[in-house]
Amino acid sequence: MTSIVIPAHNEERVIGRLLDSLLDDPAEDRPDIVVVCNGCTDDTARIASERGPRVTVVEIPVPSKHAALRAGDEHALGFPRIYVDADVVLTGADVRALAEPLADGASGVLATAPERHLPLAGCAWRVRAYYRVWQRLPAVREGLFGRGVIAVSKEGHARITALPPLMADDLAASLAFTAEERRVVGGARVVVHPPRTWRDLIKRRIRAMVSTAQVEEHRGPEEASARTSTADLKAMLRAEPTLITSVVVFAAAAVVARRQAQKAIRARDFDTWLRDDSSRQN
């Protein structure tokens, strides 16, 4: 049986959207779903409980994604196991597509993730410009991070549970597998709601830079992290010169975010989660 684990911290605005999408599935081989409400002070647990017996709701007092994932593992029934952020949207058909390559151990695939769809229509123009570049970056296209979903086989699960608690858990998980062991599944799609404002985009970028630095402390910067090089941007402009304005915006976001990120890195603040609430608007 496939199991889905959803860590949720004060996600009352979006948890119902995700659960309704997962539960609206006519297939007989339905996965079990575990929602772990960690440190919630809102109605996340109540809303999840109202979705019926297929959803197991676990509550823990500490607001920690890492603790929530491990608590979810204690209640999940089987493999493949799919970890899903509460603020994305995924369907039952997507879940089956992600699980299929993991069911056959002979394939060598230990971890999968879906193609991402970012609805940018309601976002500020600078946010849209930023993501026009970001989505074209090789590491972004090929890595399992930044999708809010990662599925693992039993062997893949053992590998990621051995990782230390890190802010960038999805990046660390992606880097735990070789290119041959991980796969972005074209038949699965997740809707990832981007920040709508420049301010919230910068929050995300600060968090990403701080968390990448933390990952590199454990792996070393030379081990293929998610950093963007000047060569990546130059190659993109050679292929698509019309992206010049978007590349300038992308670079500006990096400069602004780096100033704040460096303060947190120097202070070794790897715990402050700069939350983007604009992406959680219905």
Side-chain angles (χ1 to χ4, degrees):
M1 174 184 286
T2 300
S3 291
I4 300 172
V5 174
I6 306 171
H9 172 66
N10 288 344
E11 299 287 9
E12 64 180 4
R13 286 192 284 180
V14 293
I15 189 66
R17 178 181 66 189
L18 170 60
L19 292 175
D20 290 344
S21 180
L22 290 170
L23 293 169
D24 184 20
D25 183 11
E28 294 183 1
D29 56 337
R30 299 175 178 178
D32 71 297
I33 302 173
V34 181
V35 177
V36 184
C37 303
N38 57 104
C40 289
T41 57
D42 65 357
D43 283 338
T44 301
R46 178 186 62 78
I47 293 169
S49 297
E50 290 174 349
R51 264 51 189 186
R54 279 188 58 202
V55 179
T56 299
V57 178
V58 178
E59 295 187 70
I60 61 175
V62 58
S64 163
K65 184 177 181 181
H66 181 78
L69 293 173
R70 299 293 76 82
D73 281 335
E74 293 176 3
H75 291 80
L77 299 178
F79 291 95
R81 190 153 301 166
I82 304 180
Y83 299 100
V84 184
D85 289 351
D87 59 336
V88 304
V89 180
L90 193 72
T91 69
D94 297 319
V95 168
R96 288 191 295 278
L98 291 172
E100 184 176 357
L102 302 171
D104 179 10
S107 70
V109 177
L110 304 182
T112 61
E115 296 279 1
R116 64 170 76 78
H117 169 64
L118 283 79
L120 295 166
C123 300
W125 76 267
R126 286 188 295 180
V127 174
R128 297 196 303 272
Y130 176 90
Y131 280 106
R132 275 195 290 272
V133 173
W134 185 80
Q135 292 187 86
R136 287 170 165 82
L137 296 172
V140 172
R141 293 198 310 268
E142 298 163 8
L144 304 185
F145 62 89
R147 303 171 192 272
V149 179
I150 184 168
V152 291
S153 66
K154 191 170 186 177
E155 183 181 349
H157 175 262
R159 191 173 299 182
I160 64 172
T161 53
L163 296 171
L166 298 168
M167 186 186 296
D169 59 297
D170 58 344
L171 173 59
S174 180
L175 294 175
F177 302 100
T178 66
E180 293 73 28
E181 292 174 331
R182 64 178 186 254
R183 179 181 300 175
V184 176
V185 178
R189 188 184 85 152
V190 61
V191 179
V192 181
H193 290 272
R196 297 188 179 186
T197 68
W198 177 254
R199 180 179 180 181
D200 281 307
L201 172 64
I202 296 302
K203 285 182 182 179
R204 281 204 187 187
R205 298 316 306 151
I206 294 170
R207 188 177 76 209
M209 288 180 177
V210 172
S211 57
T212 296
Q214 185 189 27
V215 169
E216 289 175 347
E217 283 193 358
H218 291 267
R219 296 184 59 89
E222 70 282 358
E223 294 188 71
S225 78
R227 291 190 181 275
T228 302
S229 68
T230 303
D232 291 329
L233 298 180
K234 288 181 177 178
M236 190 182 302
L237 281 176
R238 283 195 298 269
E240 297 182 76
T242 56
L243 288 173
I244 180 63
T245 300
S246 296
V247 168
V248 170
V249 171
F250 183 91
V255 170
V256 172
R258 186 176 296 115
R259 293 171 183 167
Q260 295 299 315
Q262 287 173 344
K263 294 179 182 178
I265 294 167
R266 285 195 297 268
R268 303 198 57 76
D269 180 5
F270 297 123
D271 298 310
T272 301
W273 186 273
L274 295 178
R275 180 177 170 119
D276 157 36
D277 285 318
S278 69
S279 62
R280 289 169 168 81
Q281 297 176 16
N282 292 320

Coordinates of all heavy atoms in Angstrom, one line a residue, residues 98-157:
L98 N 3.7 8.5 -9.6 CA 4.9 8.6 -8.8 C 5.3 7.2 -8.2 O 6.5 6.9 -8.1 CB 4.7 9.6 -7.7 CG 4.6 11.1 -8.1 CD1 4.2 11.9 -6.9 CD2 5.9 11.6 -8.8
A99 N 4.3 6.4 -7.8 CA 4.6 5.2 -7.1 C 5.1 4.1 -8.1 O 5.8 3.2 -7.8 CB 3.4 4.7 -6.4
E100 N 4.6 4.2 -9.3 CA 4.9 3.1 -10.3 C 6.3 2.8 -10.5 O 6.7 1.6 -10.4 CB 4.2 3.4 -11.6 CG 4.3 2.3 -12.7 CD 3.6 2.6 -14.0 OE1 2.9 3.7 -14.0 OE2 3.7 1.8 -14.9
P101 N 7.2 3.8 -10.7 CA 8.6 3.4 -11.0 C 9.3 2.9 -9.7 O 10.4 2.2 -9.8 CB 9.3 4.8 -11.3 CG 8.1 5.7 -11.7 CD 7.0 5.2 -10.9
L102 N 8.7 3.1 -8.5 CA 9.3 2.6 -7.3 C 8.9 1.2 -6.9 O 9.5 0.6 -6.0 CB 8.9 3.6 -6.2 CG 9.3 5.1 -6.4 CD1 8.7 5.9 -5.3 CD2 10.8 5.2 -6.4
A103 N 7.9 0.7 -7.6 CA 7.3 -0.6 -7.2 C 8.2 -1.7 -7.7 O 8.2 -2.8 -7.1 CB 5.9 -0.7 -7.8
D104 N 9.0 -1.5 -8.7 CA 9.9 -2.5 -9.3 C 11.3 -2.2 -8.8 O 12.0 -1.3 -9.4 CB 9.8 -2.5 -10.8 CG 10.7 -3.5 -11.4 OD1 11.2 -4.4 -10.7 OD2 10.8 -3.5 -12.7
G105 N 11.8 -2.9 -7.9 CA 13.2 -2.7 -7.4 C 14.2 -2.8 -8.4 O 15.3 -2.3 -8.3
A106 N 13.9 -3.6 -9.5 CA 14.9 -3.8 -10.5 C 15.2 -2.6 -11.4 O 16.2 -2.5 -12.1 CB 14.4 -4.9 -11.5
S107 N 14.3 -1.6 -11.3 CA 14.5 -0.4 -12.1 C 15.7 0.5 -11.6 O 16.2 1.3 -12.3 CB 13.2 0.5 -12.1 OG 13.0 1.1 -10.8
G108 N 16.0 0.3 -10.3 CA 17.1 1.1 -9.7 C 16.6 2.5 -9.3 O 17.4 3.3 -8.7
V109 N 15.4 2.9 -9.5 CA 14.9 4.2 -9.1 C 14.4 4.1 -7.7 O 13.6 3.3 -7.3 CB 13.7 4.6 -10.0 CG1 13.1 5.9 -9.5 CG2 14.1 4.7 -11.5
L110 N 15.0 5.0 -6.8 CA 14.6 5.0 -5.4 C 13.8 6.2 -5.0 O 13.2 6.2 -3.9 CB 15.9 5.0 -4.6 CG 16.9 3.9 -4.9 CD1 18.1 4.0 -3.9 CD2 16.3 2.5 -4.7
A111 N 13.7 7.2 -5.8 CA 13.0 8.4 -5.5 C 12.4 9.1 -6.7 O 13.1 9.1 -7.8 CB 13.9 9.4 -4.7
T112 N 11.2 9.6 -6.6 CA 10.6 10.2 -7.7 C 9.9 11.5 -7.3 O 9.7 11.7 -6.1 CB 9.5 9.4 -8.4 OG1 8.5 9.1 -7.4 CG2 10.1 8.1 -8.9
A113 N 9.6 12.4 -8.2 CA 8.9 13.7 -8.0 C 8.2 14.0 -9.2 O 8.5 13.6 -10.3 CB 9.9 14.8 -7.6
P114 N 7.1 14.8 -9.1 CA 6.3 15.2 -10.3 C 6.9 16.4 -11.0 O 7.7 17.2 -10.5 CB 4.9 15.5 -9.6 CG 5.3 16.1 -8.3 CD 6.5 15.3 -7.8
E115 N 6.4 16.6 -12.2 CA 6.6 17.9 -12.9 C 5.9 18.9 -12.1 O 4.8 18.7 -11.5 CB 6.1 17.8 -14.3 CG 6.7 16.8 -15.2 CD 8.0 17.3 -15.8 OE1 8.4 18.5 -15.5 OE2 8.7 16.6 -16.6
R116 N 6.4 20.1 -12.1 CA 5.8 21.2 -11.3 C 5.1 22.2 -12.3 O 5.5 22.5 -13.4 CB 6.8 22.0 -10.5 CG 7.8 22.7 -11.2 CD 8.7 23.7 -10.4 NE 9.6 23.0 -9.5 CZ 10.8 22.5 -10.0 NH1 11.1 22.7 -11.2 NH2 11.7 22.0 -9.2
H117 N 3.9 22.7 -11.8 CA 3.2 23.7 -12.5 C 3.0 24.9 -11.5 O 2.5 24.7 -10.4 CB 1.8 23.2 -12.9 CG 0.9 24.3 -13.4 ND1 1.2 25.1 -14.5 CD2 -0.2 24.8 -12.9 CE1 0.3 26.0 -14.7 NE2 -0.6 25.9 -13.8
L118 N 3.5 26.1 -11.9 CA 3.4 27.3 -11.1 C 2.4 28.2 -11.8 O 2.7 28.8 -12.8 CB 4.8 28.0 -11.0 CG 5.8 27.4 -10.0 CD1 6.5 26.1 -10.7 CD2 6.8 28.4 -9.6
P119 N 1.2 28.4 -11.2 CA 0.3 29.3 -11.7 C 0.7 30.8 -11.4 O 0.6 31.2 -10.2 CB -1.1 29.0 -11.0 CG -0.6 28.2 -9.8 CD 0.7 27.6 -10.1
L120 N 1.2 31.5 -12.3 CA 1.7 32.8 -12.1 C 0.8 34.0 -12.4 O 1.2 35.2 -12.2 CB 3.0 33.0 -12.9 CG 4.2 32.1 -12.6 CD1 5.2 32.1 -13.7 CD2 4.8 32.4 -11.2
A121 N -0.4 33.7 -12.8 CA -1.3 34.8 -13.2 C -1.6 35.8 -12.2 O -1.7 37.0 -12.5 CB -2.7 34.1 -13.6
G122 N -1.6 35.5 -10.9 CA -1.9 36.5 -9.9 C -0.7 37.1 -9.2 O -0.8 37.8 -8.2
C123 N 0.5 36.9 -9.8 CA 1.7 37.3 -9.2 C 2.2 38.7 -9.8 O 1.9 39.0 -10.9 CB 2.8 36.3 -9.4 SG 2.4 34.7 -8.7
A124 N 2.9 39.4 -9.0 CA 3.5 40.7 -9.5 C 4.4 40.4 -10.6 O 5.0 39.3 -10.7 CB 4.3 41.3 -8.3
W125 N 4.7 41.4 -11.5 CA 5.4 41.2 -12.7 C 6.9 40.7 -12.4 O 7.4 39.9 -13.1 CB 5.4 42.4 -13.6 CG 6.3 43.5 -13.2 CD1 6.0 44.6 -12.4 CD2 7.7 43.7 -13.5 NE1 7.1 45.4 -12.2 CE2 8.2 44.9 -12.9 CE3 8.6 43.0 -14.3 CZ2 9.5 45.4 -13.0 CZ3 9.9 43.4 -14.4 CH2 10.3 44.6 -13.8
R126 N 7.5 41.3 -11.3 CA 8.8 40.9 -11.0 C 8.9 39.4 -10.6 O 9.9 38.7 -10.8 CB 9.4 41.8 -9.9 CG 9.8 43.2 -10.5 CD 10.5 44.0 -9.4 NE 9.7 44.3 -8.3 CZ 10.1 44.9 -7.2 NH1 11.4 45.4 -7.1 NH2 9.3 45.2 -6.2
V127 N 7.8 38.9 -9.9 CA 7.8 37.5 -9.5 C 7.7 36.6 -10.7 O 8.3 35.6 -10.9 CB 6.6 37.3 -8.5 CG1 6.4 35.8 -8.2 CG2 6.8 38.1 -7.3
R128 N 6.8 37.0 -11.7 CA 6.7 36.3 -12.9 C 8.0 36.2 -13.7 O 8.4 35.2 -14.2 CB 5.6 36.9 -13.8 CG 4.2 36.8 -13.2 CD 3.1 37.0 -14.2 NE 3.3 38.3 -14.9 CZ 2.7 39.5 -14.5 NH1 2.0 39.5 -13.4 NH2 2.9 40.6 -15.2
A129 N 8.7 37.4 -13.7 CA 10.0 37.5 -14.4 C 11.0 36.5 -13.7 O 11.8 35.8 -14.4 CB 10.5 38.9 -14.4
Y130 N 11.0 36.5 -12.4 CA 12.0 35.7 -11.7 C 11.8 34.2 -12.0 O 12.7 33.5 -12.3 CB 11.8 35.9 -10.2 CG 12.6 35.0 -9.4 CD1 13.9 35.4 -9.0 CD2 12.2 33.7 -9.0 CE1 14.7 34.5 -8.2 CE2 13.0 32.8 -8.3 CZ 14.3 33.2 -7.9 OH 15.1 32.4 -7.2
Y131 N 10.5 33.8 -12.0 CA 10.2 32.4 -12.3 C 10.4 32.0 -13.7 O 10.6 30.8 -14.0 CB 8.8 32.0 -11.7 CG 8.9 31.8 -10.2 CD1 8.3 32.7 -9.4 CD2 9.5 30.6 -9.7 CE1 8.4 32.5 -8.0 CE2 9.5 30.5 -8.3 CZ 9.0 31.4 -7.5 OH 9.0 31.2 -6.1
R132 N 10.3 32.9 -14.6 CA 10.6 32.6 -16.0 C 12.1 32.1 -16.1 O 12.4 31.2 -16.9 CB 10.4 33.8 -16.9 CG 9.0 33.9 -17.4 CD 8.9 34.9 -18.6 NE 9.1 36.3 -18.1 CZ 8.2 37.1 -17.7 NH1 7.0 36.7 -17.6 NH2 8.5 38.4 -17.3
V133 N 13.0 32.7 -15.3 CA 14.4 32.2 -15.3 C 14.5 31.0 -14.5 O 15.1 30.0 -14.9 CB 15.3 33.3 -14.8 CG1 16.7 32.9 -14.6 CG2 15.2 34.5 -15.7
W134 N 14.0 31.0 -13.3 CA 14.2 29.9 -12.3 C 13.8 28.6 -12.9 O 14.5 27.6 -12.7 CB 13.4 30.2 -11.0 CG 13.6 29.2 -9.9 CD1 14.6 29.2 -9.0 CD2 12.7 28.2 -9.5 NE1 14.5 28.1 -8.1 CE2 13.3 27.5 -8.4 CE3 11.5 27.7 -10.0 CZ2 12.7 26.4 -7.8 CZ3 10.9 26.6 -9.4 CH2 11.5 26.0 -8.3
Q135 N 12.6 28.5 -13.6 CA 12.1 27.3 -14.1 C 13.0 26.7 -15.2 O 12.9 25.5 -15.5 CB 10.7 27.4 -14.6 CG 9.7 27.7 -13.5 CD 8.3 27.7 -14.0 OE1 7.6 26.7 -14.1 NE2 7.8 28.9 -14.4
R136 N 13.9 27.5 -15.8 CA 14.7 27.1 -16.9 C 16.1 26.6 -16.4 O 16.8 26.0 -17.2 CB 14.9 28.2 -17.9 CG 13.7 28.5 -18.8 CD 13.9 29.8 -19.5 NE 13.0 30.0 -20.6 CZ 11.7 30.5 -20.5 NH1 11.3 30.8 -19.3 NH2 11.0 30.6 -21.6
L137 N 16.4 26.8 -15.2 CA 17.7 26.4 -14.7 C 17.9 24.9 -14.7 O 16.9 24.1 -14.3 CB 17.9 26.9 -13.2 CG 18.0 28.4 -13.1 CD1 17.9 28.8 -11.6 CD2 19.2 29.0 -13.8
P138 N 19.0 24.4 -15.1 CA 19.2 22.9 -15.2 C 18.9 22.2 -13.9 O 18.3 21.1 -13.8 CB 20.6 22.8 -15.6 CG 20.9 24.0 -16.4 CD 20.2 25.1 -15.6
A139 N 19.5 22.7 -12.8 CA 19.3 22.1 -11.5 C 17.9 22.0 -11.0 O 17.4 21.1 -10.4 CB 20.2 22.8 -10.4
V140 N 17.1 23.1 -11.4 CA 15.7 23.2 -11.0 C 14.9 22.1 -11.9 O 14.0 21.5 -11.4 CB 15.2 24.6 -11.2 CG1 13.7 24.7 -11.1 CG2 15.9 25.5 -10.3
R141 N 15.2 22.0 -13.1 CA 14.5 21.1 -14.0 C 14.8 19.6 -13.6 O 13.9 18.8 -13.7 CB 14.9 21.3 -15.4 CG 14.5 22.6 -16.1 CD 14.5 22.5 -17.6 NE 15.7 22.0 -18.1 CZ 16.8 22.7 -18.4 NH1 16.7 24.0 -18.3 NH2 17.9 22.1 -18.9
E142 N 16.0 19.3 -13.2 CA 16.4 17.9 -13.0 C 16.3 17.5 -11.5 O 16.2 16.3 -11.3 CB 17.9 17.8 -13.5 CG 18.1 18.1 -14.9 CD 19.5 18.3 -15.3 OE1 20.4 18.1 -14.4 OE2 19.8 18.7 -16.5
G143 N 16.4 18.4 -10.6 CA 16.4 18.0 -9.2 C 14.9 17.7 -8.7 O 13.9 18.1 -9.3
L144 N 14.8 17.0 -7.5 CA 13.5 16.7 -7.0 C 13.0 17.8 -6.0 O 11.9 17.7 -5.6 CB 13.7 15.4 -6.2 CG 14.2 14.1 -7.0 CD1 14.1 12.9 -6.1 CD2 13.4 13.9 -8.3
F145 N 13.9 18.8 -5.8 CA 13.5 19.8 -4.8 C 12.6 20.9 -5.4 O 12.4 20.9 -6.6 CB 14.8 20.5 -4.2 CG 15.6 21.2 -5.3 CD1 15.3 22.5 -5.6 CD2 16.6 20.5 -6.0 CE1 16.1 23.1 -6.6 CE2 17.3 21.1 -7.0 CZ 17.1 22.5 -7.3
G146 N 12.0 21.7 -4.6 CA 11.1 22.8 -5.1 C 9.8 22.3 -5.7 O 9.2 23.1 -6.4
R147 N 9.4 21.1 -5.4 CA 8.1 20.6 -5.9 C 7.1 20.3 -4.8 O 6.0 20.1 -5.1 CB 8.4 19.3 -6.7 CG 9.4 19.6 -7.8 CD 9.9 18.3 -8.5 NE 11.0 18.5 -9.3 CZ 11.0 18.8 -10.6 NH1 9.8 19.0 -11.2 NH2 12.1 19.0 -11.3
G148 N 7.6 20.3 -3.6 CA 6.7 20.0 -2.5 C 6.2 18.6 -2.4 O 5.4 18.3 -1.6
V149 N 6.8 17.7 -3.2 CA 6.5 16.3 -3.2 C 7.7 15.5 -3.5 O 8.5 15.8 -4.4 CB 5.4 16.0 -4.3 CG1 5.1 14.5 -4.3 CG2 4.2 16.8 -4.1
I150 N 7.9 14.4 -2.7 CA 9.0 13.5 -3.0 C 8.5 12.1 -2.6 O 7.9 11.9 -1.5 CB 10.3 13.8 -2.4 CG1 11.4 12.8 -2.8 CG2 10.2 13.8 -0.8 CD1 12.8 13.2 -2.4
A151 N 8.6 11.1 -3.5 CA 8.2 9.8 -3.2 C 9.4 8.9 -3.2 O 10.4 9.0 -4.0 CB 7.3 9.3 -4.4
V152 N 9.4 7.9 -2.2 CA 10.6 7.1 -2.1 C 10.1 5.6 -1.9 O 9.1 5.3 -1.4 CB 11.4 7.5 -0.9 CG1 12.1 8.8 -1.1 CG2 10.6 7.5 0.4
S153 N 11.0 4.7 -2.4 CA 10.8 3.3 -2.1 C 11.3 3.0 -0.7 O 11.7 3.9 0.0 CB 11.7 2.5 -3.1 OG 13.0 2.7 -2.8
K154 N 11.2 1.8 -0.3 CA 11.6 1.4 1.1 C 13.1 1.7 1.2 O 13.5 2.2 2.3 CB 11.3 -0.1 1.4 CG 11.4 -0.4 2.9 CD 10.8 -1.8 3.1 CE 10.9 -2.1 4.6 NZ 10.3 -3.4 5.0
E155 N 13.9 1.3 0.2 CA 15.3 1.6 0.3 C 15.6 3.0 0.2 O 16.5 3.5 1.0 CB 16.0 0.9 -0.9 CG 17.5 1.0 -0.9 CD 18.2 0.3 -2.1 OE1 17.5 -0.4 -2.8 OE2 19.4 0.6 -2.4
G156 N 14.9 3.8 -0.6 CA 15.1 5.3 -0.6 C 14.7 5.9 0.7 O 15.3 6.9 1.1
H157 N 13.7 5.4 1.3 CA 13.2 5.9 2.6 C 14.3 5.7 3.7 O 14.6 6.7 4.5 CB 12.0 5.2 3.1 CG 11.5 5.5 4.4 ND1 11.8 4.8 5.6 CD2 10.8 6.6 4.9 CE1 11.2 5.3 6.6 NE2 10.6 6.4 6.2

